């Protein structure tokens, strides 16, 4: 069974803080993704990665960066948190480029004050 | 712009009813199609893939119409546990295997 875990379920941070969201998958998946989900806007892709140390911008990368130092771990970094980054953040992974089914972690609800 | 459009609902149906959702997609190059289910305050989970010939999984039937660029999901004999948001998902075909998610259709099944 695929398991994707995220470091926190709930997080409260202050404006200007640097925020790290961690995601780990245990199924040796090549691909990992970070989304945010907001009411009325659906799931939007922030960044994704197809290999260690590789990253690609998604649809809304501004204000975010990512790190993938190990295959199983994909980190999302908010360099200077702002209130408009209050959201639900979802990490996902998929097996390889030809296998598109994505498996999601439980999500992190981030509140930026 | 790549988009997947769905009626947000909510669809309110009694137990035992049959309900159908449709979604349309704008990228004619899309090759892969899925329905995901998302329970309240939970993560999305794959419900089923959608194949060109149509496919069925128990009470759930998915259809694809490439000419009209729409996908449908039919749920028969609705159960209370079917209450959730159903996300229509299409591959983005952007050179990488990314997916474009619709905003979802909410289903509420009542006793």
């Amino acid at each position: 069974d695929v398991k994707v875990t995220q470091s926190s379920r709930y997080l409260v941070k202050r404006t200007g803080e640097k925020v790290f969201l961690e995601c780990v998958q245990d199924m040796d998946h090549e691909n990992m993704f970070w989304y945010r989900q907001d009411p009325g806007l659906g799931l939007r892709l922030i960044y994704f990665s197809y290999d260690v140390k590789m990253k690609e911008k998604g649809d809304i990368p501004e204000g975010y960066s990512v790190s993938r130092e190990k295959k199983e771990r994909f980190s999302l970094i908010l360099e200077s948190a702002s209130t408009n980054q209050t959201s639900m953040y979802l990490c996902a992974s998929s097996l390889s480029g030809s296998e598109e089914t994505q498996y999601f972690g439980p999500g992190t609800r981030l509140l930026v004050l | 712009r790549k988009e997947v459009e769905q009626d947000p609902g909510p669809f309110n149906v009694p137990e035992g009813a049959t309900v159908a959702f449709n979604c349309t997609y704008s990228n004619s190059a899309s090759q892969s199609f899925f329905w995901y289910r998302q329970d309240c305050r939970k993560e999305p989970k794959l419900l089923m893939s959608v194949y060109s010939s149509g496919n069925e999984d128990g009470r759930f039937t998915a259809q694809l119409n490439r000419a009209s660029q729409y996908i449908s999901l039919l749920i028969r004999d609705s159960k209370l546990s079917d209450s959730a948001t159903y996300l229509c998902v299409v591959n983005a075909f952007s050179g990488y295997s990314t997916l474009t998610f619709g905003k979802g259709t909410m289903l509420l099944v009542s006793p």
Side-chain angles (χ1 to χ4, degrees), chain B residues 9-29:
Chain B
F11 284 55
N12 288 283
V13 302
E15 268 186 297
T18 296
V19 61
F21 308 135
N22 292 326
C23 98
T24 58
Y25 60 95
S26 60
N27 189 345
S28 59

Side-chain angles (χ1 to χ4, degrees), chain A residues 9-10 31 33 35 37 40-43 45 48 50 54 56 59 88 90 96-98 100-106 109, chain B residues 1-2 31-34 36 38 40-46 49 87 91-94 96-103:
Chain A
R9 292 300 300 272
Y10 301 94
N31 310 323
F33 308 84
Y35 296 88
Q37 188 173 31
L41 297 177
L43 274 151
L45 182 63
F48 59 100
Y50 280 89
M54 177 273 182
E56 290 288 335
D59 298 320
M88 165 72 112
L90 288 154
S96 68
S98 60
E100 294 166 313
T101 302
Q102 292 184 15
Y103 299 87
F104 284 83
R109 289 194 175 274
Chain B
R1 169 161 171 74
K2 299 166 285 187
Q31 298 294 322
S32 303
F33 310 90
F34 310 89
Y36 276 67
Q38 187 172 23
C40 187
R41 304 181 76 81
K42 296 287 184 93
E43 72 273 21
K45 292 183 180 178
L46 178 68
S49 301
L87 306 175
N91 79 325
F93 211 73
S94 59
Y96 296 100
S97 260
T98 58
L99 299 177
T100 300
F101 287 77
K103 294 175 185 176

Side-chain angles (χ1 to χ4, degrees), chain A residues 46-92:
Chain A
I46 304 171
Y47 266 97
F48 59 100
S49 168
Y50 280 89
D51 202 351
V52 175
K53 296 192 187 294
M54 177 273 182
K55 60 186 178 185
E56 290 288 335
K57 292 180 179 179
D59 298 320
I60 52 163
E62 296 78 20
Y64 303 95
S65 62
V66 290
S67 172
R68 194 164 180 202
E69 296 296 318
K70 293 185 177 181
K71 190 176 185 180
E72 67 272 17
R73 187 179 298 269
F74 192 34
S75 303
L76 180 70
I77 304 150
L78 286 65
E79 296 291 343
S80 177
S82 62
T83 54
N84 63 13
Q85 292 179 309
T86 291
S87 186
M88 165 72 112
Y89 289 88
L90 288 154
C91 175

